[in-house]
């Protein structure tokens, strides 16, 4: 199965009408709008605050029938310092699915293509005004705004609701709206296309001379001999592959029947091991997709903050049979792999950049 690459694009009118979007940031667009995820399932174990949506991916399956409509949601904590702990403490991923015949969507077959529309009478769940999680709480004064947690109620109050609570509870000033948008990640559409096949070896050798000098490790023919002994093989392959499509933010390669998992690792060290089996059916989870470091460029992060959110790649493992859900939101597994300073060669990087802090700037120098 070829790998599908995802790219970030601005939202547009077509995106607003898509019932099954793939996107970065913003509030979740729930597959089943009658049910919104409860905040207590995405509370960060470090800071105790609700996580926000990093991305959601529409990934329907032909088999089983219960996964005809299928979406994966990835949540992370916005507090950068929390990410120095284990991934499971500050990141979550959930699978949501519906069969073709369901009470939420109807098929419009009037045109050449089937268009799915939300059925009449579907009552959407109450959502948090800040993040879109289940709005189980209301403002105690006006009762006009919903929240997932005390933390987001306070955040909205401080952002501007305090000034409008009793007079215009549903209104927001321009400044209030801007503050609210900064509480989630900026929203972008994820568009996809298949990764191009490998070029012939002669073409690859020719291309290697044209690699930009600000690559993570510029691997021209002259540099390979000097660097190959201290740069690990996984990172070299990672560098080579992303050079072909430097704007990719996601790689999708679900292949349940494959003997090897087509992950693109960033280092020979720190690869995920002992991924737990699906709690619902007991089947060993398998790799489905990975989030690339280029996605960080779309999150409006403070690149000068040494504790800012960072990753080499995020690897998502799911139940390969998309087993019958026992819950609207079935938990899956996300693993983080970081770049290894040993793996890409501190000696090489110091010589290349001329200082001891080169590794921390490896992706600042990569034009993606």
């Amino acid at each position: 199965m070829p790998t599908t690459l995802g790219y970030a694009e601005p939202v547009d009118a077509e995106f607003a009408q898509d019932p099954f979007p793939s996107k970065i940031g913003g509030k979740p667009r729930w597959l089943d709008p009658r049910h919104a995820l409860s905040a207590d399932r995405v509370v960060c174990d470090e800071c105790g605050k609700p996580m926000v949506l990093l991305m959601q991916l529409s990934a329907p399956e032909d088999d089983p029938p219960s996964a005809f409509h299928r979406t994966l949601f990835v949540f992370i904590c916005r507090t950068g310092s929390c990410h120095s702990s284990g991934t499971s403490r500050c990141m979550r991923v959930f699978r949501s699915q519906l069969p073709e015949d369901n009470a939420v969507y109807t098929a419009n077959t009037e045109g050449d293509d089937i268009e799915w529309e939300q059925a009449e009478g579907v009552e959407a769940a109450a959502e948090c005004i800040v993040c879109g999680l289940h709005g189980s709480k209301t403002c105690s004064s006006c009762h006009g705004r919903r929240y997932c947690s005390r933390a987001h109620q306070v955040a909205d109050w401080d952002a501007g609701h305090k000034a409008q609570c009793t007079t215009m509870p549903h209104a927001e000033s321009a400044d209030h709206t801007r503050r609210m948008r900064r509480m989630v990640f900026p929203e972008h559409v994820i568009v996809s296309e298949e990764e191009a096949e490998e070029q012939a070896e002669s073409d690859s050798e020719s291309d290697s001379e044209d690699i930009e000098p600000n690559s993570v490790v510029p691997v021209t023919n002259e540099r390979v001999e000097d660097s190959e002994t201290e740069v690990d093989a996984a990172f070299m392959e990672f560098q080579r592959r992303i050079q072909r499509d430097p704007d990719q933010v996601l790689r999708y390669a679900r292949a349940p029947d494959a003997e090897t998992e087509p992950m693109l690792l960033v280092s020979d060290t720190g690869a995920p091991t002992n991924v737990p089996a699906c709690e619902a059916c007991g089947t060993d989870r398998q790799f489905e997709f990975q989030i690339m470091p280029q996605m960080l460029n779309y999150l409006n992060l403070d690149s000068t903050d040494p504790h800012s959110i960072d990753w080499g790649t995020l690897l998502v493992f799911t139940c390969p049979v998309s087993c019958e859900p026992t819950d609207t939101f079935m938990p899956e597994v996300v693993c983080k792999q970081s770049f290894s300073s040993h793996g890409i060669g501190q000696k090489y990087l110091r010589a290349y950049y001329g200082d001891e802090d080169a590794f921390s700037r490896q992706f600042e120098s990569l034009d993606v």
Side-chain angles (χ1 to χ4, degrees):
M1 173 183 174
T3 296
T4 300
L5 305 181
Y7 303 89
E9 298 285 351
V11 298
D12 53 20
E14 184 178 351
F15 165 76
Q17 302 301 318
D18 187 353
F20 314 117
S22 294
K23 70 189 190 84
I24 300 169
K27 298 176 184 178
R29 297 260 290 274
W30 306 115
L31 178 64
D32 186 344
R34 301 171 301 176
H35 303 280
L37 185 68
S38 175
D40 60 13
R41 300 188 68 180
V42 287
V43 170
C44 175
D45 293 334
E46 289 295 309
C47 68
K49 296 178 182 179
M51 303 176 198
V52 298
L53 182 73
L54 172 63
M55 59 152 291
Q56 67 181 76
L57 182 68
S58 177
E61 301 269 56
D62 293 328
D63 187 57
S66 62
F68 185 84
H69 301 294
R70 180 174 176 271
T71 299
L72 298 164
F73 299 91
V74 181
F75 293 85
I76 68 172
C77 181
R78 281 184 58 87
T79 304
S81 58
C82 294
H83 291 258
S84 60
S85 63
T87 305
S88 62
R89 298 181 63 81
C90 58
M91 298 184 184
R92 303 279 193 281
V93 59
F94 294 91
R95 165 172 53 96
S96 185
Q97 59 193 55
L98 289 169
E100 181 176 10
D101 184 12
N102 62 78
V104 181
Y105 299 102
T106 58
N108 183 343
T109 58
E110 293 180 359
D112 295 334
D113 299 319
I114 297 176
E115 294 184 0
W116 293 93
E117 302 171 348
Q118 189 168 301
E120 295 183 5
V122 174
E123 185 175 350
E127 295 183 6
C128 175
I129 193 70
V130 174
C131 69
L133 293 171
H134 178 53
S136 58
K137 305 179 184 298
T138 60
C139 174
S140 58
S141 296
C142 69
H143 302 286
R145 292 168 81 86
R146 289 270 187 172
Y147 306 102
C148 67
S149 61
R150 166 88 177 150
H152 282 181
Q153 182 177 359
V154 171
D156 183 42
W157 185 261
D158 292 342
H161 182 56
K162 177 181 180 180
Q164 300 166 309
C165 179
T166 56
T167 56
M168 296 181 293
H170 297 287
E172 290 181 8
S173 66
D175 182 64
H176 187 186
T177 300
R178 283 193 296 270
R179 289 170 179 256
M180 293 284 284
R181 287 177 178 171
R182 287 198 293 266
M183 295 180 194
V184 295
F185 294 120
E187 193 169 49
H188 295 81
V189 183
I190 297 177
V191 298
S192 61
E193 64 179 43
E194 285 190 5
E195 184 177 34
E197 294 183 3
E198 292 277 8
Q199 292 179 314
E201 184 175 350
S202 58
D203 293 335
S204 299
E205 290 175 357
S206 175
D207 290 344
S208 68
E209 297 291 348
D210 299 325
I211 294 176
E212 293 296 323
N214 62 348
S215 303
V216 179
V217 178
V219 190
T220 62
N221 290 339
E222 295 178 357
R223 293 186 184 270
V224 169
E225 184 176 351
D226 292 335
S227 61
E228 65 184 359
T229 58
E230 60 173 313
V231 180
D232 72 34
F235 182 80
M236 294 291 283
E237 174 63 10
F238 177 86
Q239 165 73 357
R240 185 183 67 81
R241 293 289 288 275
I242 65 171
Q243 281 290 343
R244 293 163 50 193
D245 298 282
D247 294 328
Q248 60 185 282
V249 298
L250 181 142
R251 298 178 63 85
Y252 186 89
R254 182 169 172 83
D257 298 326
E259 294 183 1
T260 59
E261 297 184 331
M263 296 180 287
L264 186 58
L265 300 177
V266 301
S267 174
D268 287 333
T269 62
T273 58
N274 301 319
V275 175
C278 176
E279 293 81 2
C281 69
T283 305
D284 288 340
R285 285 189 174 95
Q286 294 183 12
F287 171 75
E288 182 162 355
F289 72 94
Q290 67 187 100
I291 299 169
M292 305 297 282
Q294 288 89 329
M295 190 178 288
L296 294 164
N297 295 331
Y298 297 92
L299 304 184
N300 197 26
L301 302 174
D302 182 1
S303 61
T304 65
D305 181 2
H307 301 294
S308 183
I309 298 169
D310 194 18
W311 61 72
T313 187
L314 301 179
L315 304 157
V316 175
F317 296 81
T318 60
C319 177
V321 298
S322 293
C323 64
E324 192 72 27
T326 56
D327 189 311
T328 303
F329 301 98
M330 300 291 287
E332 301 290 5
V333 172
V334 56
C335 301
K336 180 174 77 171
Q337 191 187 31
S338 299
F339 291 102
S340 166
S341 58
H342 173 73
I344 67 173
Q346 280 284 30
K347 178 181 177 182
Y348 175 82
L349 284 170
R350 285 198 297 270
Y352 182 66
Y353 289 106
D355 65 15
E356 294 285 338
D357 298 322
F359 180 67
S360 65
R361 295 200 305 278
Q362 59 183 302
F363 263 95
E364 292 178 10
S365 69
L366 179 60
D367 185 17
V368 295

